[in-house]
RNA sequence: GUGGCCGUAGCUCAGUCGGUUAGAGCGCCGGGUUGUGGUCCCGGAGGUCGCGGGUUCGAUUCCCGUCGGCCACCCCA
């Protein structure tokens, strides 16, 4: 009998480790709410064609990393590799954006890759999409939101790598120039890069195998039209005003085809792994039209939760229980359990060890379960009191039962 | 998808130049008399040595395959 294990490239997140994930989710929902975003909940699978068109046939993601399957009616469906195409599809389907829409999401994404730490076949992203707004302040706001999320998650030394890849018309002229440059040095290029030249020459720029060959290559930021140029200047000025540090990275191009103008990534300096980016985003003003909607400017970001948790400054797991109830002996168990129920009704996060266990064992359980305090139900119960102990300071006292809520608030 | 490293208790690992009862630390459970954790002391439970096949009198140890993890490339969050 072979035991079951989770599919390759998937992670199980169990208590108590899941506390960190809860924290990430709550933090993101809270923070994006502060910025005016509300959840958009879309299917976890979509028609394969949506991603092929939206994300781009020429991208690695679509080319070889999709979890594609046929349903019973023979439709080709794909587990979403990212969320933006879905959100945009859903908004178009609902009639398009009236004014602006600010949407957030959280959930699993799927990419068929060779797994590594921080690179799973099922991984989690949280993101926002600012739809219907072309002003550069939208880019600034979204960049700031991601940056603050990383700060609140205690990811140290985050650098924002920033670039602009211009508008489609800018890119067409630039692309010809880049291709000419690459043709001249074709002998120096890796096989990968040669293949890519045809499909998507921009991506040769950030190929690690070709850093020397492309050292003097022309770069998109030097080939901007006046509008894209002004937009990028405004984005930089806005980031400066908000005090968001960034580093210009002229070779940063992103792997999803829908981006234009501003693109960026968040890179924690102290987390040196190949999977270094913990989040990224960009503007995608053409995606609505590409998917059959009205022209709608938009900018968004996605944060890689798995990687953020790997990059977090190691910290102890938070204590999750306000109070742990201890029965001083078997005779007190019924009383203690009934009181536990009342505490929970009052909204106190409380628990106790069930079964017949020594006081010592119950205290140990309280500590292990992450309780901040213990209340002992015993002889003092007859006078309407319990003994409470703060497990972090070790101090202990006898208090009237009805003061328990106030006592917890103080500790 | 390419190349490489690895797979022994819940976790981190030691070990067996192929041989008879496979170890440590941490964790877990219990105890150190009367109602007290995180420190200390004592005791206990817990292992198909990832899985399958081959070589062999005999394999956890050698070989092959497979599954899984990790690293680099690639890709991206």
């Amino acid at each position: 009998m072979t035991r079951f294990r989770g599919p390759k490239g998937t992670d199980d997140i169990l208590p108590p480790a899941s506390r960190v994930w809860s924290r990430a989710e709550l933090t993101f929902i809270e923070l994006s709410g502060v910025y005016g975003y509300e959840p958009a909940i879309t299917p976890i699978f979509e028609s394969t064609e949506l991603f092929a068109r939206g994300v781009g046939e020429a991208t690695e993601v679509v080319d070889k990393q999709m979890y594609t399957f046929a349903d019973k009616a023979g439709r080709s469906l794909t587990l979403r590799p990212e969320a933006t195409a879905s959100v945009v599809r859903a908004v178009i389907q609902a009639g398009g954006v009236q004014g602006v829409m600010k949407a957030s999401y959280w959930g699993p994404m799927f990419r068929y890759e060779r797994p590594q730490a921080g690179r799973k076949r099922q991984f989690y992203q949280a993101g926002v999409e600012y739809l219907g707004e072309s002003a550069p302040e939208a880019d600034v706001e979204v960049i700031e939101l991601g940056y603050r999320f990383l700060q609140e998650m205690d990811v140290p030394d985050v650098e924002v790598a920033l670039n602009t890849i211009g508008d489609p018309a800018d890119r067409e002229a630039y692309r010809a120039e880049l291709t000419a440059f690459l043709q001249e040095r074709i002998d120096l290029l890796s096989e990968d890069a040669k293949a890519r030249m045809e499909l998507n020459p921009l991506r040769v720029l950030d190929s690690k195998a070709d850093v020397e060959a492309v050292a003097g290559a022309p770069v998109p930021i030097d080939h901007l039209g006046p509008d894209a140029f002004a937009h990028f200047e405004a984005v930089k000025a806005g980031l400066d005003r908000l005090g968001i540090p960034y580093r210009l990275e002229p070779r940063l191009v992103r792997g999803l085809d829908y981006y234009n103008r501003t693109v960026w990534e968040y890179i924690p300096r102290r987390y040196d792994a190949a999977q270094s980016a913990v989040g990224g985003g960009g503007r995608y003003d053409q995606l609505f039209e590409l998917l059959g909607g009205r022209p709608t400017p938009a900018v968004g970001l996605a944060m890689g939760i798995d990687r953020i948790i790997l990059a977090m400054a190691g910290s102890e797991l938070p204590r999750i229980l306000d109070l742990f109830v201890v029965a001083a002996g078997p005779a007190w168990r019924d009383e203690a359990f009934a009181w536990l129920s009342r505490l929970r009704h009052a909204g106190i996060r409380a628990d106790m060890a069930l079964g017949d266990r020594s006081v010592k064992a119950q205290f140990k359980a309280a500590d292990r379960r992450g309780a901040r305090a213990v209340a002992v139900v015993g002889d003092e119960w007859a006078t309407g009191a319990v003994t409470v102990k703060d497990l972090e300071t070790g101090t202990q006292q006898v208090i009237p039962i009805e003061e328990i809520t106030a006592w917890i608030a103080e500790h």
Side-chain angles (χ1 to χ4, degrees), chain A residues 14-62:
Chain A
L14 301 172
S18 57
R19 280 177 213 171
V20 183
W21 288 73
S22 298
R23 177 183 156 196
E25 183 168 10
L26 293 173
T27 301
F28 190 79
I29 290 170
E30 171 63 24
L31 184 66
S32 56
V34 165
Y35 279 72
Y37 294 84
E38 296 180 89
I41 300 166
T42 61
I44 238 164
F45 56 90
E46 294 273 1
S47 74
T48 302
E49 183 61 16
L50 173 68
F51 297 121
R53 287 259 296 282
V55 177
E57 303 268 15
T59 64
E60 190 96 357
V61 169
V62 168

Side-chain angles (χ1 to χ4, degrees), chain A residues 187-207:
Chain A
D187 296 339
L188 302 174
L189 295 178
S190 64
E191 288 307 310
D192 267 1
K194 286 181 200 166
R196 230 177 266 166
M197 258 178 65
E198 305 295 322
L199 281 171
N200 205 341
L202 291 229
R203 300 248 316 290
V204 178
L205 288 182
D206 66 353
S207 162

Side-chain angles (χ1 to χ4, degrees), chain A residues 369-384:
Chain A
R369 290 288 312 286
R372 295 209 316 269
V374 162
V376 179
V377 174
D379 293 331
E380 57 274 54
W381 189 261
T383 64

Side-chain angles (χ1 to χ4, degrees), chain A residues 103-384:
Chain A
S104 63
Y105 60 86
W106 166 283
M109 309 293 161
F110 306 85
R111 255 117 100 155
Y112 192 91
E113 300 185 88
R114 187 110 160 226
Q116 259 170 257
R119 187 220 265 187
K120 299 291 167 188
R121 311 248 253 218
Q122 174 169 333
F123 60 103
Y124 293 80
Q125 285 189 342
V128 299
E129 313 290 356
Y130 197 153
L131 309 175
E133 182 54 72
S134 60
E137 288 86 348
D139 310 33
V140 174
E141 167 183 309
V142 175
I143 293 169
E144 183 196 28
L145 168 53
Y147 188 75
R148 278 198 48 198
F149 177 58
L150 293 168
Q151 286 186 318
E152 294 197 14
M153 292 302 294
D154 298 321
V155 178
D157 296 336
V158 174
E159 201 159 62
V160 178
L162 182 72
N163 194 23
T164 176
I165 57 173
D167 285 320
D170 306 335
R171 267 214 305 279
E172 209 161 313
Y174 163 72
R175 194 174 151 144
E177 194 172 320
L178 176 63
T179 305
F181 175 90
L182 294 175
Q183 283 294 355
E184 276 174 35
R185 327 186 142 214
I186 191 129
D187 296 339
L188 302 174
L189 295 178
S190 64
E191 288 307 310
D192 267 1
K194 286 181 200 166
R196 230 177 266 166
M197 258 178 65
E198 305 295 322
L199 281 171
N200 205 341
L202 291 229
R203 300 248 316 290
V204 178
L205 288 182
D206 66 353
S207 162
K208 283 180 196 169
D210 297 282
V211 275
E212 285 156 41
V214 300
V219 121
I221 197 169
D222 294 327
H223 297 72
L224 301 178
D227 292 346
F229 181 84
H231 185 93
F232 194 56
E233 292 300 308
V235 169
K236 287 188 290 181
L239 290 172
D240 290 337
R241 268 194 295 279
L242 298 187
I244 310 289
Y246 59 87
R247 180 167 48 83
L248 287 181
E249 194 67 67
R251 292 218 162 63
L252 174 66
V253 296
R254 313 217 61 233
L256 278 32
D257 279 357
Y258 50 64
Y259 289 116
N260 71 308
R261 295 197 179 181
T262 320
V263 292
W264 70 92
E265 287 179 357
Y266 302 96
I267 299 169
R269 220 173 292 144
R270 297 230 298 267
Y271 173 54
D272 57 337
Q275 281 68 244
S276 54
V278 297
R283 181 159 276 285
Y284 51 96
D285 296 325
Q286 286 78 44
L287 184 58
F288 274 77
E289 284 168 274
L290 191 64
L291 296 180
R294 276 183 277 109
T296 307
V299 57
L301 66 71
M303 307 302 292
I305 304 302
D306 313 62
R307 291 182 185 178
I308 287 170
I309 286 170
L310 286 174
M312 281 169 68
S315 56
E316 286 179 24
L317 292 170
R319 292 185 178 261
I320 49 150
L321 291 171
D322 298 324
L323 193 67
F324 204 83
V325 177
V326 166
W332 295 106
R333 277 178 50 196
D334 289 345
E335 200 67 66
F337 191 66
W339 187 48
L340 173 65
S341 170
R342 274 175 262 137
L343 290 169
R344 288 167 168 171
H345 275 279
I348 294 168
R349 300 165 67 95
D351 209 347
M352 66 181 281
L354 306 180
D356 197 7
R357 318 188 54 193
S358 68
V359 171
K360 180 193 182 85
Q362 293 180 72
F363 265 81
K364 217 171 168 186
D367 192 51
R368 209 177 44 245
R369 290 288 312 286
R372 295 209 316 269
V374 162
V376 179
V377 174
D379 293 331
E380 57 274 54
W381 189 261
T383 64

